[in-house]
Amino acid sequence: KGFFILEIKANPNSRQTVFMELLNFPGKKIVKMNIQAVPEKGRANKVIEKFCANYFKCLVEILQGGTNSYKKIKLEMQK
């Protein structure tokens, strides 16, 4: 098993859930992601987890940013 940490900038209330672009910041890269959910009661986080799990075919856990638009998520490969 292996894992990867992905940093994202979530944009909730979008028309669809999709990866948009790679943002370059000093020392790191962040993936901008549109989320088709409201940021209330963890709804957007659940959509992020489900979308990433299906896209990458792995287990997903939000490590940081539960109530923030900037998030660190752990992608853990199952094999």
Side-chain angles (χ1 to χ4, degrees):
K1 287 185 180 183
F3 69 91
F4 180 79
I5 304 298
L6 180 66
E7 294 188 47
I8 65 168
K9 164 68 171 95
N11 182 28
N13 296 321
S14 299
R15 289 185 181 206
Q16 63 181 1
T17 300
V18 64
F19 292 118
M20 293 299 297
E21 63 182 306
L22 185 62
L23 305 173
N24 288 306
F25 290 97
K28 65 180 167 181
K29 297 185 185 316
I30 297 175
V31 176
K32 184 177 177 184
M33 184 176 182
N34 284 355
I35 311 298
Q36 187 184 13
V38 294
E40 297 172 353
K41 299 180 182 177
R43 290 183 184 127
N45 289 339
K46 288 178 185 173
V47 170
I48 291 169
E49 289 174 336
K50 184 175 180 181
F51 180 84
C52 289
N54 288 332
Y55 188 88
F56 293 109
K57 308 293 188 241
C58 66
L59 300 175
V60 177
E61 177 185 358
I62 295 178
L63 299 176
Q64 292 178 348
T67 58
N68 193 320
S69 62
Y70 287 94
K71 301 178 185 300
K72 281 188 180 182
I73 59 174
K74 179 180 178 182
L75 307 173
E76 185 173 345
M77 304 308 142
Q78 297 182 22
K79 292 185 178 183

